[in-house]
Amino acid sequence: DTGVSQNPRHKITKRGQNVTFRCDPISEHNRLYWYRQTLGQGPEFLTYFQNEAQLEKSRLLSDRFSAERPKGSFSTLEIQRTEQGDSAMYLCASSLTGNQPQHFGDGTRLSIL
Amino acid sequence: ELKVEQNPLFLSMQEGKNYTIYCNYSTTSDRLYWYRQDPGKSLESLFVLLSNGAVKQEGRLMASLDTKARLSTLHITAAVHDLSATYFCAVDIGGGGADGLTFGKGTHLIIQP
């Protein structure tokens, strides 16, 4: 399967801990996006990379959140000092151009105890 | 701030019937996407609409875009149970995806035999 791959699928952690998620986009896609989805809502945009450059960040991305895409391939999203409100599904998507659909991974579900 | 509103948010219908889901958005855009999400799964791209008057059809689903009215519709013809899912519309105002997509809350569709 050459789709968008995300790991882990599910992360359970205690409040205050740091967590890191990984996303491997479709190999030829230079655009990579992170979204967050809570129950009963549509995905909310967090940040966008074109190759290794992080070109856009949403206001939702507080200082506790950081994303990287060091070699323009896979990306990581880290959340420091997790809070209850961080519980959500974190989705990664990639696309080849701005006119093509974003292809989504299966997501990482974060549960904060 | 871009707002994307879908209606209805919940729809229960019988197999064989026709229905339309509406997606209104508040800011000028000529890029609109429809996605399908099954419970516990990620988002699957259905349609990409890139210009005023665009119409796309796939099986029993047809999507259209009226950029002047800031309205897109997803029409379901002779519904079958397999179409039960949550359907999202999403708007790109950043020009080429740079600002990510803004999603509606989704329409939860249940098709009963």
Side-chain angles (χ1 to χ4, degrees):
Chain A
D1 182 37
T2 57
V4 178
S5 176
Q6 292 189 245
N7 288 289
R9 291 295 308 276
H10 197 173
K11 180 70 176 179
I12 302 173
T13 192
K14 293 182 179 179
R15 183 167 54 93
Q17 297 295 304
N18 299 343
V19 293
T20 300
F21 313 138
R22 175 177 171 127
C23 170
D24 288 89
I26 294 171
S27 59
E28 64 268 25
H29 287 185
N30 59 6
R31 296 166 180 249
L32 186 147
Y33 305 82
W34 285 99
Y35 292 84
R36 180 176 71 187
Q37 185 177 25
T38 53
L39 196 61
Q41 302 294 318
E44 296 173 294
F45 170 70
L46 294 177
T47 190
Y48 159 64
F49 289 86
Q50 185 160 338
N51 298 310
E52 66 276 8
Q54 187 175 18
L55 297 185
E56 193 67 33
K57 291 194 290 186
S58 160
R59 291 172 299 172
L60 294 175
L61 213 65
S62 75
D63 292 344
R64 297 184 297 106
F65 288 70
S66 63
E68 295 182 341
R69 194 182 183 196
K71 297 183 180 179
S73 56
F74 73 91
S75 175
T76 58
L77 178 67
E78 181 183 15
I79 308 174
Q80 296 182 327
R81 305 181 303 281
T82 52
E83 301 174 354
Q84 289 287 348
D86 296 333
S87 294
M89 176 74 85
Y90 289 84
L91 296 167
C92 177
S94 70
S95 70
L96 186 57
T97 71
N99 287 339
Q100 293 184 348
Q102 296 176 21
H103 297 268
F104 283 80
D106 288 338
T108 294
R109 181 169 296 282
L110 175 64
S111 301
I112 307 297
L113 300 178
Chain B
E1 179 185 349
L2 172 62
K3 292 184 179 179
V4 179
E5 295 185 349
Q6 288 182 237
N7 72 84
L9 296 181
F10 182 83
L11 177 58
S12 178
M13 56 191 292
Q14 288 186 318
E15 280 190 325
K17 300 291 187 183
N18 303 334
Y19 210 82
T20 301
I21 298 170
Y22 297 89
C23 174
N24 291 89
Y25 53 98
S26 61
T27 303
T28 300
S29 174
D30 59 0
R31 299 164 186 259
L32 189 135
Y33 303 80
W34 284 96
Y35 285 87
R36 167 181 174 150
Q37 187 174 38
D38 291 295
K41 300 293 181 66
S42 190
L43 288 90
E44 174 191 356
S45 175
L46 295 175
F47 299 109
V48 179
L49 303 169
L50 297 177
S51 62
N52 185 41
V55 177
K56 295 278 185 75
Q57 182 164 4
E58 180 73 33
R60 300 175 188 273
L61 301 178
M62 183 173 70
S64 66
L65 178 62
D66 181 343
T67 59
K68 294 180 181 178
R70 299 178 187 170
L71 171 68
S72 179
T73 61
L74 181 65
H75 187 73
I76 303 159
T77 301
V80 294
H81 178 69
D82 287 350
L83 291 178
S84 297
T86 299
Y87 292 86
F88 292 96
C89 65
V91 177
D92 172 11
I93 61 168
D99 290 335
L101 298 178
T102 300
F103 283 79
K105 289 188 175 182
T107 296
H108 184 49
L109 175 63
I110 295 176
I111 300 170
Q112 299 176 347

PDB file of all heavy atoms in Angstrom, chain B residues 32-63:
ATOM      1  N   LEU B  32     -13.210  23.451  -4.259  1.00  0.00           N
ATOM      2  CA  LEU B  32     -14.032  22.806  -3.257  1.00  0.00           C
ATOM      3  C   LEU B  32     -13.897  21.298  -3.406  1.00  0.00           C
ATOM      4  O   LEU B  32     -13.841  20.776  -4.516  1.00  0.00           O
ATOM      5  CB  LEU B  32     -15.500  23.232  -3.389  1.00  0.00           C
ATOM      6  CG  LEU B  32     -16.389  22.773  -2.228  1.00  0.00           C
ATOM      7  CD1 LEU B  32     -17.309  23.893  -1.758  1.00  0.00           C
ATOM      8  CD2 LEU B  32     -17.184  21.547  -2.565  1.00  0.00           C
ATOM      9  N   TYR B  33     -13.854  20.615  -2.270  1.00  0.00           N
ATOM     10  CA  TYR B  33     -13.614  19.185  -2.237  1.00  0.00           C
ATOM     11  C   TYR B  33     -14.714  18.500  -1.435  1.00  0.00           C
ATOM     12  O   TYR B  33     -15.207  19.045  -0.452  1.00  0.00           O
ATOM     13  CB  TYR B  33     -12.261  18.887  -1.571  1.00  0.00           C
ATOM     14  CG  TYR B  33     -11.084  19.566  -2.229  1.00  0.00           C
ATOM     15  CD1 TYR B  33     -10.804  20.896  -1.968  1.00  0.00           C
ATOM     16  CD2 TYR B  33     -10.254  18.878  -3.107  1.00  0.00           C
ATOM     17  CE1 TYR B  33      -9.732  21.538  -2.570  1.00  0.00           C
ATOM     18  CE2 TYR B  33      -9.168  19.507  -3.709  1.00  0.00           C
ATOM     19  CZ  TYR B  33      -8.923  20.837  -3.436  1.00  0.00           C
ATOM     20  OH  TYR B  33      -7.848  21.460  -4.036  1.00  0.00           O
ATOM     21  N   TRP B  34     -15.075  17.318  -1.855  1.00  0.00           N
ATOM     22  CA  TRP B  34     -15.980  16.457  -1.081  1.00  0.00           C
ATOM     23  C   TRP B  34     -15.223  15.206  -0.661  1.00  0.00           C
ATOM     24  O   TRP B  34     -14.511  14.583  -1.471  1.00  0.00           O
ATOM     25  CB  TRP B  34     -17.207  16.066  -1.903  1.00  0.00           C
ATOM     26  CG  TRP B  34     -18.217  17.169  -2.036  1.00  0.00           C
ATOM     27  CD1 TRP B  34     -18.362  18.049  -3.059  1.00  0.00           C
ATOM     28  CD2 TRP B  34     -19.245  17.489  -1.092  1.00  0.00           C
ATOM     29  NE1 TRP B  34     -19.403  18.902  -2.808  1.00  0.00           N
ATOM     30  CE2 TRP B  34     -19.968  18.581  -1.621  1.00  0.00           C
ATOM     31  CE3 TRP B  34     -19.642  16.958   0.150  1.00  0.00           C
ATOM     32  CZ2 TRP B  34     -21.052  19.166  -0.959  1.00  0.00           C
ATOM     33  CZ3 TRP B  34     -20.725  17.536   0.801  1.00  0.00           C
ATOM     34  CH2 TRP B  34     -21.406  18.624   0.248  1.00  0.00           C
ATOM     35  N   TYR B  35     -15.415  14.851   0.620  1.00  0.00           N
ATOM     36  CA  TYR B  35     -14.785  13.668   1.178  1.00  0.00           C
ATOM     37  C   TYR B  35     -15.843  12.807   1.846  1.00  0.00           C
ATOM     38  O   TYR B  35     -16.869  13.293   2.321  1.00  0.00           O
ATOM     39  CB  TYR B  35     -13.745  14.042   2.239  1.00  0.00           C
ATOM     40  CG  TYR B  35     -12.455  14.599   1.699  1.00  0.00           C
ATOM     41  CD1 TYR B  35     -12.325  15.952   1.438  1.00  0.00           C
ATOM     42  CD2 TYR B  35     -11.360  13.769   1.458  1.00  0.00           C
ATOM     43  CE1 TYR B  35     -11.127  16.463   0.944  1.00  0.00           C
ATOM     44  CE2 TYR B  35     -10.161  14.269   0.972  1.00  0.00           C
ATOM     45  CZ  TYR B  35     -10.065  15.627   0.717  1.00  0.00           C
ATOM     46  OH  TYR B  35      -8.874  16.125   0.229  1.00  0.00           O
ATOM     47  N   ARG B  36     -15.547  11.523   1.926  1.00  0.00           N
ATOM     48  CA  ARG B  36     -16.388  10.569   2.646  1.00  0.00           C
ATOM     49  C   ARG B  36     -15.569   9.994   3.800  1.00  0.00           C
ATOM     50  O   ARG B  36     -14.372   9.719   3.646  1.00  0.00           O
ATOM     51  CB  ARG B  36     -16.821   9.441   1.712  1.00  0.00           C
ATOM     52  CG  ARG B  36     -17.426   8.239   2.433  1.00  0.00           C
ATOM     53  CD  ARG B  36     -17.804   7.143   1.491  1.00  0.00           C
ATOM     54  NE  ARG B  36     -18.237   5.971   2.245  1.00  0.00           N
ATOM     55  CZ  ARG B  36     -19.137   5.092   1.817  1.00  0.00           C
ATOM     56  NH1 ARG B  36     -19.701   5.258   0.624  1.00  0.00           N
ATOM     57  NH2 ARG B  36     -19.457   4.053   2.557  1.00  0.00           N
ATOM     58  N   GLN B  37     -16.222   9.811   4.951  1.00  0.00           N
ATOM     59  CA  GLN B  37     -15.558   9.184   6.096  1.00  0.00           C
ATOM     60  C   GLN B  37     -16.462   8.118   6.684  1.00  0.00           C
ATOM     61  O   GLN B  37     -17.584   8.405   7.093  1.00  0.00           O
ATOM     62  CB  GLN B  37     -15.186  10.222   7.158  1.00  0.00           C
ATOM     63  CG  GLN B  37     -14.334   9.644   8.290  1.00  0.00           C
ATOM     64  CD  GLN B  37     -13.838  10.707   9.260  1.00  0.00           C
ATOM     65  OE1 GLN B  37     -14.558  11.648   9.577  1.00  0.00           O
ATOM     66  NE2 GLN B  37     -12.607  10.568   9.732  1.00  0.00           N
ATOM     67  N   ASP B  38     -15.969   6.888   6.738  1.00  0.00           N
ATOM     68  CA  ASP B  38     -16.681   5.803   7.402  1.00  0.00           C
ATOM     69  C   ASP B  38     -16.257   5.772   8.864  1.00  0.00           C
ATOM     70  O   ASP B  38     -15.148   6.217   9.206  1.00  0.00           O
ATOM     71  CB  ASP B  38     -16.364   4.474   6.720  1.00  0.00           C
ATOM     72  CG  ASP B  38     -16.976   4.414   5.332  1.00  0.00           C
ATOM     73  OD1 ASP B  38     -18.218   4.428   5.242  1.00  0.00           O
ATOM     74  OD2 ASP B  38     -16.219   4.387   4.352  1.00  0.00           O
ATOM     75  N   PRO B  39     -17.100   5.245   9.751  1.00  0.00           N
ATOM     76  CA  PRO B  39     -16.786   5.250  11.188  1.00  0.00           C
ATOM     77  C   PRO B  39     -15.430   4.628  11.486  1.00  0.00           C
ATOM     78  O   PRO B  39     -15.122   3.539  11.023  1.00  0.00           O
ATOM     79  CB  PRO B  39     -17.926   4.418  11.788  1.00  0.00           C
ATOM     80  CG  PRO B  39     -19.053   4.580  10.827  1.00  0.00           C
ATOM     81  CD  PRO B  39     -18.421   4.661   9.475  1.00  0.00           C
ATOM     82  N   GLY B  40     -14.601   5.345  12.235  1.00  0.00           N
ATOM     83  CA  GLY B  40     -13.284   4.843  12.614  1.00  0.00           C
ATOM     84  C   GLY B  40     -12.260   4.843  11.504  1.00  0.00           C
ATOM     85  O   GLY B  40     -11.138   4.361  11.696  1.00  0.00           O
ATOM     86  N   LYS B  41     -12.624   5.369  10.371  1.00  0.00           N
ATOM     87  CA  LYS B  41     -11.699   5.381   9.225  1.00  0.00           C
ATOM     88  C   LYS B  41     -11.300   6.813   8.870  1.00  0.00           C
ATOM     89  O   LYS B  41     -11.835   7.783   9.413  1.00  0.00           O
ATOM     90  CB  LYS B  41     -12.380   4.724   8.009  1.00  0.00           C
ATOM     91  CG  LYS B  41     -12.804   3.298   8.216  1.00  0.00           C
ATOM     92  CD  LYS B  41     -11.619   2.377   8.384  1.00  0.00           C
ATOM     93  CE  LYS B  41     -12.011   0.918   8.564  1.00  0.00           C
ATOM     94  NZ  LYS B  41     -12.640   0.371   7.352  1.00  0.00           N
ATOM     95  N   SER B  42     -10.351   6.904   7.949  1.00  0.00           N
ATOM     96  CA  SER B  42      -9.918   8.232   7.529  1.00  0.00           C
ATOM     97  C   SER B  42     -10.785   8.743   6.381  1.00  0.00           C
ATOM     98  O   SER B  42     -11.785   8.134   6.030  1.00  0.00           O
ATOM     99  CB  SER B  42      -8.457   8.190   7.111  1.00  0.00           C
ATOM    100  OG  SER B  42      -7.977   9.500   6.929  1.00  0.00           O
ATOM    101  N   LEU B  43     -10.401   9.846   5.813  1.00  0.00           N
ATOM    102  CA  LEU B  43     -11.204  10.496   4.791  1.00  0.00           C
ATOM    103  C   LEU B  43     -10.811  10.011   3.400  1.00  0.00           C
ATOM    104  O   LEU B  43      -9.626   9.912   3.079  1.00  0.00           O
ATOM    105  CB  LEU B  43     -11.034  12.015   4.864  1.00  0.00           C
ATOM    106  CG  LEU B  43     -11.693  12.685   6.051  1.00  0.00           C
ATOM    107  CD1 LEU B  43     -10.752  12.757   7.226  1.00  0.00           C
ATOM    108  CD2 LEU B  43     -12.180  14.078   5.672  1.00  0.00           C
ATOM    109  N   GLU B  44     -11.820   9.772   2.594  1.00  0.00           N
ATOM    110  CA  GLU B  44     -11.626   9.339   1.220  1.00  0.00           C
ATOM    111  C   GLU B  44     -12.079  10.445   0.292  1.00  0.00           C
ATOM    112  O   GLU B  44     -13.208  10.946   0.428  1.00  0.00           O
ATOM    113  CB  GLU B  44     -12.438   8.067   0.956  1.00  0.00           C
ATOM    114  CG  GLU B  44     -12.436   7.603  -0.482  1.00  0.00           C
ATOM    115  CD  GLU B  44     -13.455   6.509  -0.733  1.00  0.00           C
ATOM    116  OE1 GLU B  44     -14.106   6.063   0.235  1.00  0.00           O
ATOM    117  OE2 GLU B  44     -13.615   6.113  -1.898  1.00  0.00           O
ATOM    118  N   SER B  45     -11.230  10.843  -0.635  1.00  0.00           N
ATOM    119  CA  SER B  45     -11.591  11.893  -1.579  1.00  0.00           C
ATOM    120  C   SER B  45     -12.651  11.401  -2.554  1.00  0.00           C
ATOM    121  O   SER B  45     -12.531  10.321  -3.132  1.00  0.00           O
ATOM    122  CB  SER B  45     -10.342  12.344  -2.346  1.00  0.00           C
ATOM    123  OG  SER B  45     -10.693  13.276  -3.349  1.00  0.00           O
ATOM    124  N   LEU B  46     -13.704  12.207  -2.723  1.00  0.00           N
ATOM    125  CA  LEU B  46     -14.765  11.874  -3.678  1.00  0.00           C
ATOM    126  C   LEU B  46     -14.671  12.753  -4.929  1.00  0.00           C
ATOM    127  O   LEU B  46     -14.638  12.252  -6.044  1.00  0.00           O
ATOM    128  CB  LEU B  46     -16.138  12.066  -3.033  1.00  0.00           C
ATOM    129  CG  LEU B  46     -16.492  11.148  -1.878  1.00  0.00           C
ATOM    130  CD1 LEU B  46     -17.837  11.559  -1.271  1.00  0.00           C
ATOM    131  CD2 LEU B  46     -16.534   9.707  -2.330  1.00  0.00           C
ATOM    132  N   PHE B  47     -14.685  14.065  -4.728  1.00  0.00           N
ATOM    133  CA  PHE B  47     -14.715  14.976  -5.860  1.00  0.00           C
ATOM    134  C   PHE B  47     -13.829  16.186  -5.605  1.00  0.00           C
ATOM    135  O   PHE B  47     -13.695  16.644  -4.469  1.00  0.00           O
ATOM    136  CB  PHE B  47     -16.147  15.487  -6.115  1.00  0.00           C
ATOM    137  CG  PHE B  47     -17.132  14.407  -6.449  1.00  0.00           C
ATOM    138  CD1 PHE B  47     -18.120  14.052  -5.542  1.00  0.00           C
ATOM    139  CD2 PHE B  47     -17.086  13.759  -7.673  1.00  0.00           C
ATOM    140  CE1 PHE B  47     -19.030  13.060  -5.846  1.00  0.00           C
ATOM    141  CE2 PHE B  47     -17.998  12.760  -7.986  1.00  0.00           C
ATOM    142  CZ  PHE B  47     -18.973  12.410  -7.073  1.00  0.00           C
ATOM    143  N   VAL B  48     -13.262  16.707  -6.700  1.00  0.00           N
ATOM    144  CA  VAL B  48     -12.538  17.972  -6.684  1.00  0.00           C
ATOM    145  C   VAL B  48     -13.229  18.892  -7.676  1.00  0.00           C
ATOM    146  O   VAL B  48     -13.364  18.543  -8.849  1.00  0.00           O
ATOM    147  CB  VAL B  48     -11.060  17.771  -7.094  1.00  0.00           C
ATOM    148  CG1 VAL B  48     -10.329  19.101  -7.084  1.00  0.00           C
ATOM    149  CG2 VAL B  48     -10.386  16.776  -6.173  1.00  0.00           C
ATOM    150  N   LEU B  49     -13.682  20.042  -7.214  1.00  0.00           N
ATOM    151  CA  LEU B  49     -14.402  21.003  -8.056  1.00  0.00           C
ATOM    152  C   LEU B  49     -13.567  22.266  -8.113  1.00  0.00           C
ATOM    153  O   LEU B  49     -13.319  22.907  -7.088  1.00  0.00           O
ATOM    154  CB  LEU B  49     -15.791  21.282  -7.476  1.00  0.00           C
ATOM    155  CG  LEU B  49     -16.673  20.041  -7.300  1.00  0.00           C
ATOM    156  CD1 LEU B  49     -17.910  20.385  -6.474  1.00  0.00           C
ATOM    157  CD2 LEU B  49     -17.081  19.485  -8.657  1.00  0.00           C
ATOM    158  N   LEU B  50     -13.119  22.641  -9.302  1.00  0.00           N
ATOM    159  CA  LEU B  50     -12.124  23.701  -9.412  1.00  0.00           C
ATOM    160  C   LEU B  50     -12.604  24.935 -10.178  1.00  0.00           C
ATOM    161  O   LEU B  50     -11.801  25.829 -10.435  1.00  0.00           O
ATOM    162  CB  LEU B  50     -10.858  23.157 -10.080  1.00  0.00           C
ATOM    163  CG  LEU B  50     -10.138  22.052  -9.298  1.00  0.00           C
ATOM    164  CD1 LEU B  50      -8.946  21.543 -10.093  1.00  0.00           C
ATOM    165  CD2 LEU B  50      -9.685  22.566  -7.929  1.00  0.00           C
ATOM    166  N   SER B  51     -13.862  24.978 -10.575  1.00  0.00           N
ATOM    167  CA  SER B  51     -14.307  26.161 -11.302  1.00  0.00           C
ATOM    168  C   SER B  51     -15.812  26.312 -11.163  1.00  0.00           C
ATOM    169  O   SER B  51     -16.530  25.348 -10.857  1.00  0.00           O
ATOM    170  CB  SER B  51     -13.932  26.058 -12.778  1.00  0.00           C
ATOM    171  OG  SER B  51     -14.563  24.946 -13.372  1.00  0.00           O
ATOM    172  N   ASN B  52     -16.282  27.525 -11.424  1.00  0.00           N
ATOM    173  CA  ASN B  52     -17.712  27.781 -11.357  1.00  0.00           C
ATOM    174  C   ASN B  52     -18.428  26.916 -12.390  1.00  0.00           C
ATOM    175  O   ASN B  52     -18.004  26.831 -13.533  1.00  0.00           O
ATOM    176  CB  ASN B  52     -17.994  29.260 -11.619  1.00  0.00           C
ATOM    177  CG  ASN B  52     -19.451  29.592 -11.433  1.00  0.00           C
ATOM    178  OD1 ASN B  52     -20.105  29.114 -10.506  1.00  0.00           O
ATOM    179  ND2 ASN B  52     -19.978  30.412 -12.328  1.00  0.00           N
ATOM    180  N   GLY B  53     -19.506  26.285 -11.956  1.00  0.00           N
ATOM    181  CA  GLY B  53     -20.260  25.434 -12.865  1.00  0.00           C
ATOM    182  C   GLY B  53     -19.752  24.020 -12.974  1.00  0.00           C
ATOM    183  O   GLY B  53     -20.332  23.208 -13.707  1.00  0.00           O
ATOM    184  N   ALA B  54     -18.672  23.711 -12.265  1.00  0.00           N
ATOM    185  CA  ALA B  54     -18.115  22.354 -12.354  1.00  0.00           C
ATOM    186  C   ALA B  54     -19.127  21.342 -11.845  1.00  0.00           C
ATOM    187  O   ALA B  54     -19.801  21.567 -10.846  1.00  0.00           O
ATOM    188  CB  ALA B  54     -16.829  22.267 -11.550  1.00  0.00           C
ATOM    189  N   VAL B  55     -19.211  20.240 -12.550  1.00  0.00           N
ATOM    190  CA  VAL B  55     -20.079  19.136 -12.160  1.00  0.00           C
ATOM    191  C   VAL B  55     -19.287  17.843 -12.330  1.00  0.00           C
ATOM    192  O   VAL B  55     -18.668  17.615 -13.360  1.00  0.00           O
ATOM    193  CB  VAL B  55     -21.356  19.072 -13.018  1.00  0.00           C
ATOM    194  CG1 VAL B  55     -22.205  17.858 -12.610  1.00  0.00           C
ATOM    195  CG2 VAL B  55     -22.168  20.343 -12.883  1.00  0.00           C
ATOM    196  N   LYS B  56     -19.297  17.038 -11.285  1.00  0.00           N
ATOM    197  CA  LYS B  56     -18.615  15.746 -11.350  1.00  0.00           C
ATOM    198  C   LYS B  56     -19.594  14.663 -10.892  1.00  0.00           C
ATOM    199  O   LYS B  56     -20.403  14.882  -9.973  1.00  0.00           O
ATOM    200  CB  LYS B  56     -17.391  15.735 -10.420  1.00  0.00           C
ATOM    201  CG  LYS B  56     -16.278  16.720 -10.808  1.00  0.00           C
ATOM    202  CD  LYS B  56     -15.392  16.162 -11.875  1.00  0.00           C
ATOM    203  CE  LYS B  56     -14.230  17.082 -12.184  1.00  0.00           C
ATOM    204  NZ  LYS B  56     -13.188  17.041 -11.139  1.00  0.00           N
ATOM    205  N   GLN B  57     -19.505  13.500 -11.525  1.00  0.00           N
ATOM    206  CA  GLN B  57     -20.396  12.390 -11.159  1.00  0.00           C
ATOM    207  C   GLN B  57     -19.588  11.112 -11.033  1.00  0.00           C
ATOM    208  O   GLN B  57     -18.676  10.846 -11.820  1.00  0.00           O
ATOM    209  CB  GLN B  57     -21.509  12.212 -12.192  1.00  0.00           C
ATOM    210  CG  GLN B  57     -22.482  11.095 -11.822  1.00  0.00           C
ATOM    211  CD  GLN B  57     -23.779  11.166 -12.601  1.00  0.00           C
ATOM    212  OE1 GLN B  57     -23.940  12.001 -13.486  1.00  0.00           O
ATOM    213  NE2 GLN B  57     -24.717  10.314 -12.264  1.00  0.00           N
ATOM    214  N   GLU B  58     -19.953  10.345 -10.016  1.00  0.00           N
ATOM    215  CA  GLU B  58     -19.342   9.038  -9.819  1.00  0.00           C
ATOM    216  C   GLU B  58     -20.411   8.119  -9.242  1.00  0.00           C
ATOM    217  O   GLU B  58     -20.840   8.287  -8.092  1.00  0.00           O
ATOM    218  CB  GLU B  58     -18.154   9.129  -8.857  1.00  0.00           C
ATOM    219  CG  GLU B  58     -17.453   7.804  -8.590  1.00  0.00           C
ATOM    220  CD  GLU B  58     -16.632   7.319  -9.775  1.00  0.00           C
ATOM    221  OE1 GLU B  58     -16.093   8.165 -10.503  1.00  0.00           O
ATOM    222  OE2 GLU B  58     -16.521   6.102  -9.950  1.00  0.00           O
ATOM    223  N   GLY B  59     -20.865   7.194 -10.070  1.00  0.00           N
ATOM    224  CA  GLY B  59     -21.902   6.278  -9.607  1.00  0.00           C
ATOM    225  C   GLY B  59     -23.176   7.029  -9.242  1.00  0.00           C
ATOM    226  O   GLY B  59     -23.707   7.804 -10.035  1.00  0.00           O
ATOM    227  N   ARG B  60     -23.650   6.837  -8.041  1.00  0.00           N
ATOM    228  CA  ARG B  60     -24.901   7.465  -7.592  1.00  0.00           C
ATOM    229  C   ARG B  60     -24.689   8.856  -6.988  1.00  0.00           C
ATOM    230  O   ARG B  60     -25.650   9.460  -6.499  1.00  0.00           O
ATOM    231  CB  ARG B  60     -25.557   6.563  -6.554  1.00  0.00           C
ATOM    232  CG  ARG B  60     -25.890   5.175  -7.097  1.00  0.00           C
ATOM    233  CD  ARG B  60     -26.423   4.272  -5.987  1.00  0.00           C
ATOM    234  NE  ARG B  60     -26.574   2.906  -6.458  1.00  0.00           N
ATOM    235  CZ  ARG B  60     -27.654   2.450  -7.067  1.00  0.00           C
ATOM    236  NH1 ARG B  60     -28.692   3.263  -7.250  1.00  0.00           N
ATOM    237  NH2 ARG B  60     -27.712   1.198  -7.473  1.00  0.00           N
ATOM    238  N   LEU B  61     -23.478   9.344  -6.990  1.00  0.00           N
ATOM    239  CA  LEU B  61     -23.162  10.644  -6.419  1.00  0.00           C
ATOM    240  C   LEU B  61     -22.813  11.645  -7.517  1.00  0.00           C
ATOM    241  O   LEU B  61     -22.091  11.322  -8.455  1.00  0.00           O
ATOM    242  CB  LEU B  61     -21.979  10.538  -5.447  1.00  0.00           C
ATOM    243  CG  LEU B  61     -22.139   9.600  -4.254  1.00  0.00           C
ATOM    244  CD1 LEU B  61     -20.860   9.580  -3.431  1.00  0.00           C
ATOM    245  CD2 LEU B  61     -23.309  10.020  -3.389  1.00  0.00           C
ATOM    246  N   MET B  62     -23.343  12.869  -7.353  1.00  0.00           N
ATOM    247  CA  MET B  62     -23.015  13.950  -8.272  1.00  0.00           C
ATOM    248  C   MET B  62     -22.789  15.218  -7.471  1.00  0.00           C
ATOM    249  O   MET B  62     -23.611  15.571  -6.624  1.00  0.00           O
ATOM    250  CB  MET B  62     -24.126  14.183  -9.295  1.00  0.00           C
ATOM    251  CG  MET B  62     -23.787  15.247 -10.326  1.00  0.00           C
ATOM    252  SD  MET B  62     -25.014  15.371 -11.629  1.00  0.00           S
ATOM    253  CE  MET B  62     -26.379  16.077 -10.720  1.00  0.00           C
ATOM    254  N   ALA B  63     -21.682  15.904  -7.753  1.00  0.00           N
ATOM    255  CA  ALA B  63     -21.352  17.133  -7.038  1.00  0.00           C
ATOM    256  C   ALA B  63     -21.292  18.286  -8.027  1.00  0.00           C
ATOM    257  O   ALA B  63     -20.880  18.123  -9.174  1.00  0.00           O
ATOM    258  CB  ALA B  63     -20.024  16.987  -6.313  1.00  0.00           C
TER     259      ALA B  63
END
